[in-house]
Amino acid sequence: MSAADRTLARVQRRETHSPRSTAMVVAVILLIALIAYLATETVLVMADAPPLIAAPADLLRGISTASGAAMTAVGAALALAGVVLVVIAVTPGRLAKHTMSAADGTIVVVDNAVIAAALAQHLSDALGMDRRRLTVGVGHRRVDVTVRPETGLDIDLDEVRAASEAELATYRLSPPVALSVHRRLDKKED
C-alpha cells in the first residue's frame, strides 16, 4: 500500500467515524470533580472546619458498616460504569456516512440522508411514482425502501428491488449495504 493510499484510508476513516473525545472528557471531568471533592473535604478536616457533606473518615466508616446489599448495589453500579467505558473505548463510533468510490480511486464521503434522497428521487423518476409515496432509509449496513402505492395501483416489488439494486450498484458504497423493499398500505386502505 502506497503512502497516498494509506493517507486516503486514514482520511476516509476520520470522516466516517466519530472520535471518542467527548466520552473521555466527561470521564476525566467526573474523576477530577471526585478528586477535588475529596481534597476539599481533607483540607476542611485539617483546618478543623465542618465538612461540606461528610469527612473522609466518616465516609470510610460508613462504607465499612454498610450492609451487604448496599455494597453489592454500589459494586454493580461501578462495574456497569466500567463496562460502559470499556465498550465506548473499544467500539468504533460510526457516523451516518458512507463513502462512494470512483474508478480512478478517489472517494467521496456522503451522508446517509443524501444517499436516501438520491435513491428515492431515482426510484420516483424510474417508476413514475409520486416522490411522497416512497420512503428510503439508509443505515450503516442496510437500505430500506418502503413503497405506499396509490389506491387502485399495484406496485411490482421486484421492479422496485431491481431499480434500487441497479442504482445502489452505481454508488459503489463502502461499507456495502443490504437492500430490503416493503409495501405499506395507507390506513384507510387496510
Side-chain angles (χ1 to χ4, degrees), residues 96 122 138 142 144 147 153 165:
H122 172 77
V138 178
R142 185 180 183 93
D144 290 316
V147 181
L153 293 179
E165 287 174 346

Side-chain angles (χ1 to χ4, degrees), residues 96-100 110 112 115-116 119 136-145 161 164-180:
K97 297 180 181 182
H98 280 79
T99 57
M100 298 171 71
V110 183
N112 288 353
I115 297 169
L119 181 59
V136 178
V138 178
H140 184 65
R141 297 272 183 199
R142 185 180 183 93
V143 173
D144 290 316
V145 177
R161 177 178 295 283
S164 300
E165 287 174 346
E167 184 67 8
L168 285 172
T170 65
Y171 294 168
R172 296 183 184 153
L173 296 177
S174 174
V177 293
L179 175 68
S180 65

Side-chain angles (χ1 to χ4, degrees), residues 62-151:
I63 290 172
S64 66
T65 60
S67 68
M71 292 303 289
T72 302
V74 169
L78 289 174
L80 180 63
V83 167
V84 167
L85 289 174
V86 167
V87 167
I88 287 173
V90 173
T91 58
R94 293 199 171 103
L95 297 174
K97 297 180 181 182
H98 280 79
T99 57
M100 298 171 71
S101 59
D104 64 355
T106 59
I107 62 168
V108 176
V109 178
V110 183
D111 192 78
N112 288 353
V114 173
I115 297 169
L119 181 59
Q121 188 61 47
H122 172 77
L123 291 174
S124 173
D125 295 342
L127 301 172
M129 290 185 64
D130 183 6
R131 168 67 181 84
R132 294 172 294 187
R133 296 264 174 202
L134 290 165
T135 304
V136 178
V138 178
H140 184 65
R141 297 272 183 199
R142 185 180 183 93
V143 173
D144 290 316
V145 177
T146 303
V147 181
R148 290 182 300 116
E150 294 182 33
T151 305

Side-chain angles (χ1 to χ4, degrees), residues 22-95:
T22 304
M24 186 56 143
V25 167
V26 169
V28 168
I29 287 174
L30 291 174
L31 186 60
I32 288 171
L34 177 66
I35 291 170
Y37 166 72
L38 290 174
T40 303
E41 290 292 2
T42 302
V43 168
L44 289 174
V45 165
M46 293 171 73
D48 287 329
L52 295 174
I53 297 174
D58 294 338
L59 288 175
L60 289 175
R61 215 173 298 116
I63 290 172
S64 66
T65 60
S67 68
M71 292 303 289
T72 302
V74 169
L78 289 174
L80 180 63
V83 167
V84 167
L85 289 174
V86 167
V87 167
I88 287 173
V90 173
T91 58
R94 293 199 171 103
L95 297 174

